[in-house]
Amino acid sequence: MEYILTALGAYLLGCSNLAYYICKIKKVDIRTGGSGNLGASNTTTLLGWYAGIAVAFHDAGKALLAVILANLFFPEVPYIGAVAGVASVLGHIFPFYLKFKGGKGFASYIGMTFALNWKLALVILGLVILATVITDYIVVGTTLTILTVPVYEGMAEGSLILALILCIATVVIIYKHRMNYVRIFNGTEIGLRSAARGEHRIK
């Protein structure tokens, strides 16, 4: 019962989508441009850095909060934090009130990682920034993160179950980024430097 309540509550928390709210305020729809997703990276590409950073903090914060609350309410339940974090990530990706079409989940994944292991999250964040700057593609850092976290956490805790729980989010996020990989291969992916110059921004 604890797992069910936690997963449901974390999913609903994850459904909150600041990118969608900003679109409503600005009367634009970023789902019609860029990657077509309601997430931080597409918000940055189409609406600018300020909006993108706000969305990133919101998306990370809701997953972080989900893990903290789960551990607070059910401190003795094994892996409850991981269950909450993954459910929140899935809520961000598949919000029920947006026909299950939200963001791609990376910012929420980072928030979950901070709540589970903040030292690992800081290292990962540094690697993400470095990989993104070198390659010009955020998806490269994203992929490195979602592959590294379940492996490291599973080994650190000596738990295959924990690794498998985290891998649920990993598999879904990789699937959601499949077109990014295709666009990189085709040379049509919007890079970080292009986004910074505002070349694809909605006016």
Side-chain angles (χ1 to χ4, degrees):
M1 182 59 70
E2 289 90 346
Y3 289 114
I4 294 174
L5 290 174
T6 296
L8 179 59
Y11 167 80
L12 292 175
L13 183 60
C15 286
S16 175
N17 193 297
L18 183 59
Y20 176 73
Y21 308 148
I22 291 175
C23 285
K24 283 294 186 181
I25 293 172
K26 289 182 171 288
K27 297 181 179 179
V28 298
D29 189 352
I30 64 172
R31 290 172 292 187
T32 62
S35 66
N37 285 274
L38 287 168
S41 60
N42 201 37
T43 301
T44 301
T45 300
L46 300 178
L47 297 181
W49 283 98
Y50 291 123
I53 290 172
V55 170
F57 272 98
H58 172 270
D59 293 347
K62 63 189 180 185
L64 185 147
L65 180 62
V67 176
I68 291 175
L69 290 176
N71 287 327
L72 181 65
F73 283 106
F74 306 115
E76 304 300 324
V77 179
Y79 315 122
I80 197 70
V83 170
V86 169
S88 182
V89 171
L90 295 181
H92 174 72
I93 297 172
F94 304 114
F96 68 92
Y97 63 98
L98 294 174
K99 299 181 180 179
F100 302 100
K101 296 178 181 179
K104 293 184 178 180
F106 180 59
S108 294
Y109 196 97
I110 286 290
M112 173 189 71
T113 305
F114 262 103
L116 294 174
N117 187 336
W118 65 269
K119 293 180 180 179
L120 172 64
L122 286 177
V123 173
I124 288 291
L125 198 57
L127 292 176
V128 168
I129 294 172
L130 182 62
T132 301
V133 170
I134 291 174
T135 66
D136 196 32
Y137 297 122
I138 297 174
V139 69
V140 175
T142 297
T143 305
L144 288 174
T145 299
I146 60 179
L147 291 175
T148 301
V149 170
V151 173
Y152 179 88
E153 282 293 282
M155 293 178 63
E157 296 292 332
S159 173
L160 178 60
I161 295 175
L162 175 60
L164 290 175
I165 292 171
L166 296 174
C167 276
I168 295 172
T170 294
V171 171
V172 174
I173 292 174
I174 287 176
Y175 175 77
K176 290 292 290 185
H177 282 84
R178 66 195 185 282
M179 293 310 300
N180 294 86
Y181 306 131
V182 172
R183 286 193 294 268
I184 289 176
F185 181 79
N186 292 334
T188 57
E189 176 76 342
I190 299 173
L192 178 68
R193 283 177 276 277
S194 176
R197 291 192 296 268
E199 296 175 4
H200 305 272
R201 198 169 297 175
I202 296 175
K203 305 301 182 182

